[in-house]
């Protein structure tokens, strides 16, 4: 079991995307998007996982993750998960001691880029890179599970 | 891909007590809860004896449904059951009785909010497979949604009367 503490931000510009950086493509879908019990299937390039998050708020959640066979993940994503499926490319960007996960979303969420940092403990000092924009940690619109029911491309600007 | 096909029957309490006594059956305590229950999918956490599982089931389609099951650490299962699953949890004792060389009746005696309910289940290889019912196997309830384990959470047996 993990207790996950993370902060999430919008990205101001592309300066994080240095020449030669490579990302990993993910597809993920949700079996449950209730806040207290979010269940996700994620298919990466090498591994597939079933992920269960419980607990109360977005900053501080119980998290369990189990590797599952790729053939199971495919059936789960295509026939059992809530549609649509989210696809994104994840880049890892180091800034000081933190390794930021920068997600570029595709398809129904094309245009959205989010950066996340995982903290060791609540309130830990986080040095923000200059390409980081507004914090959206507590904004449910940006929860990945919400991007299924209300994708970015449908938002009114 | 695993597909589950099963038939369910009611069992009389006195018959079960009698069988347990004569065969000296030992049951396995099971505790299960649900993270998600709807027509499209259910997600179940189950502790059965020494083992724990997460099980994902798809839509019911003519007695069968897609099923995926993964073993998970007992500690994870207990935390999920107590912190995240929908209330109430389902507690039951499961007995296994040979049907033939390779197949078993799974007989579940429910407790707590579902006390008094006993269900025998047989998993089939194909939907129209012939099944010989022993004397202690009663009325079939395969298609009666009230007896779905997931339904016993929102509408427990004791509240039926």
């Amino acid at each position: 079991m993990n207790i996950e503490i993370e902060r999430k931000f919008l990205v101001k510009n592309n300066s994080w995307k240095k020449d030669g950086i490579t990302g990993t493509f993910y597809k993920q879908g949700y079996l449950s998007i209730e806040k207290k019990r979010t269940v996700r299937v994620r298919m990466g390039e090498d591994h597939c996982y079933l992920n269960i998050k419980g607990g109360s708020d977005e900053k501080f959640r119980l998290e369990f993750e189990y590797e599952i066979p790729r053939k199971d993940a495919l059936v789960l994503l295509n026939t059992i998960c809530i549609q649509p499926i989210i696809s994104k490319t994840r880049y890892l960007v180091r800034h000081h001691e933190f390794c930021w996960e920068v997600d570029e979303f595709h398809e129904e969420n094309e245009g959205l880029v989010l950066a996340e940092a995982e903290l060791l403990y609540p309130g830990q000092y986080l040095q923000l890179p200059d390409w980081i924009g507004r914090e959206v940690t507590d904004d449910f619109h940006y929860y990945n599970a919400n991007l299924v029911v209300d994708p970015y491309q449908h938002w009114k600007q | 891909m695993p597909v589950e096909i099963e038939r369910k029957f009611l069992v009389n309490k006195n018959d079960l007590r009698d069988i347990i006594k004569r065969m000296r059956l030992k049951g396995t305590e099971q505790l299960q809860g649900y993270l998600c229950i709807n027509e499209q999918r259910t997600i179940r956490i189950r502790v059965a004896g020494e083992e724990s599982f997460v099980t994902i089931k798809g839509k019911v389609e003519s007695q069968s449904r897609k099923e995926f099951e993964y073993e998970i650490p007992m500690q994870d299962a207990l935390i999920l059951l107590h912190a995240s699953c929908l209330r109430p949890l389902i507690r039951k004792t499961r007995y296994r009785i040979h049907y033939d060389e390779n197949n078993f009746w799974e007989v579940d005696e429910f407790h707590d909010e579902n006390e008094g309910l006993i269900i025998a289940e047989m998993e089939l290889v194909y939907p129209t497979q012939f099944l010989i019912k022993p004397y202690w196997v009663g009325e079939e309830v395969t298609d009666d949604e009230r007896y779905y384990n997931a339904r016993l959470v929102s509408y427990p047996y004791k509240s039926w009367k």
Side-chain angles (χ1 to χ4, degrees):
Chain A
M1 184 211 22
N2 266 320
I3 290 179
E4 195 188 42
I5 312 154
E6 52 188 31
R7 292 178 66 185
K8 196 188 280 188
F9 299 83
L10 298 179
V11 168
K12 275 197 286 205
N13 56 50
N14 260 342
S15 63
W16 57 271
K17 209 172 183 179
K18 305 279 187 247
D19 286 349
I21 192 173
T22 56
T24 308
F25 183 74
Y26 289 103
K27 272 190 176 216
Q28 66 185 44
Y30 289 84
L31 292 162
S32 167
I33 53 176
E34 264 187 79
K35 242 183 142 184
K36 264 193 84 177
R37 41 190 90 86
T38 304
V39 182
R40 184 185 73 198
V41 177
R42 174 181 279 177
M43 194 168 76
E45 289 165 9
D46 298 323
H47 300 278
C48 301
Y49 296 95
L50 179 71
N51 176 288
I52 304 172
K53 289 184 186 185
S56 47
D57 64 66
E58 182 77 355
K59 266 189 198 164
F60 190 75
R61 320 182 70 173
L62 291 176
E63 178 169 355
F64 302 91
E65 190 156 73
Y66 310 107
E67 186 159 3
I68 63 173
R70 177 163 298 260
K71 61 175 171 37
D72 291 11
L74 273 170
V75 177
L76 286 166
L77 284 171
N78 293 327
T79 70
I80 304 186
C81 282
I82 300 164
Q83 301 299 320
I85 299 303
I86 287 183
S87 61
K88 61 186 182 184
T89 305
R90 169 162 291 180
Y91 300 89
L92 299 179
V93 182
R94 182 157 289 282
H95 185 259
H96 295 289
E97 71 272 34
F98 285 95
C99 186
W100 290 79
E101 293 176 341
V102 183
D103 289 342
E104 278 184 344
F105 290 81
H106 308 299
E107 297 175 50
E108 283 86 349
N109 289 293
E110 191 71 48
L112 179 62
V113 183
L114 292 174
E116 269 183 26
E118 191 170 342
L119 309 185
L120 295 174
Y121 52 90
Q124 183 182 10
Y125 177 70
L126 178 64
Q127 172 80 49
L128 300 181
D130 52 17
W131 43 267
I132 281 293
R134 177 162 71 89
E135 177 158 13
V136 294
T137 305
D138 296 316
D139 187 340
F140 75 91
H141 292 100
Y142 293 94
Y143 295 179
N144 274 235
N146 186 63
L147 296 175
V148 173
V149 287
D150 186 18
Y152 184 67
Q153 296 250 323
H154 299 179
W155 299 5
K156 303 216 171 72
Q157 299 304 319
Chain B
M1 174 196 47
V3 172
E4 180 195 55
I5 313 163
E6 58 185 29
R7 291 178 68 183
K8 280 188 195 187
F9 303 86
L10 296 180
V11 175
N12 175 283
K13 190 170 187 173
N14 292 331
D15 285 342
L16 179 63
R17 290 273 85 79
D18 180 55
I19 293 167
I20 290 171
K21 197 171 143 202
R22 283 161 54 199
M23 301 181 71
R24 297 173 198 207
L25 286 183
K26 286 228 164 61
T28 310
E29 295 305 314
Q30 304 210 352
L31 183 62
Q32 65 187 44
Y34 291 84
L35 291 166
C36 168
I37 302 175
N38 58 47
E39 275 188 18
Q40 307 300 317
R41 56 196 81 81
T42 62
I43 307 166
R44 183 185 70 198
I45 304 293
R46 183 164 59 104
V47 172
E50 305 295 304
E51 298 173 308
S52 307
F53 303 93
V54 55
T55 310
I56 300 159
K57 297 186 187 194
K59 227 189 207 164
V60 181
E61 287 157 320
S62 58
Q63 280 188 32
S64 69
R65 64 198 305 199
K66 288 172 190 152
E67 178 175 325
F68 299 89
E69 186 159 76
Y70 308 105
E71 189 163 0
I72 62 174
M74 173 78 67
Q75 192 200 358
D76 292 11
L78 289 173
I79 292 171
L80 285 167
L81 283 168
H82 292 108
S84 302
C85 283
L86 300 164
R87 307 279 119 181
L89 301 179
I90 290 186
R91 202 167 61 79
K92 58 191 184 182
T93 307
R94 170 164 290 184
Y95 301 93
R96 277 158 64 91
I97 301 171
H98 268 288
Y99 172 75
D100 56 22
E101 193 183 341
N102 302 310
N103 297 288
F104 291 87
W105 287 100
E106 287 184 335
V107 183
D108 288 341
E109 183 177 23
F110 290 81
H111 306 298
D112 305 327
E113 280 86 348
N114 290 295
E115 191 72 50
L117 179 61
I118 304 168
I119 293 179
E121 271 185 24
M122 172 63 77
E123 203 160 312
L124 307 181
V125 181
Y126 55 95
T128 56
Q129 191 181 335
F130 184 68
L131 190 62
I132 301 165
K133 275 169 49 178
Y135 74 93
W136 53 270
V137 170
E139 185 197 341
E140 177 157 17
V141 293
T142 305
D143 296 319
D144 189 336
E145 296 178 5
R146 290 179 303 165
Y147 293 96
Y148 292 179
N149 274 231
R151 187 62 67 90
L152 296 175
V153 174
S154 51
Y155 197 25
Y157 183 67
K158 275 187 161 177
S159 67
W160 294 9
K161 285 143 207 170

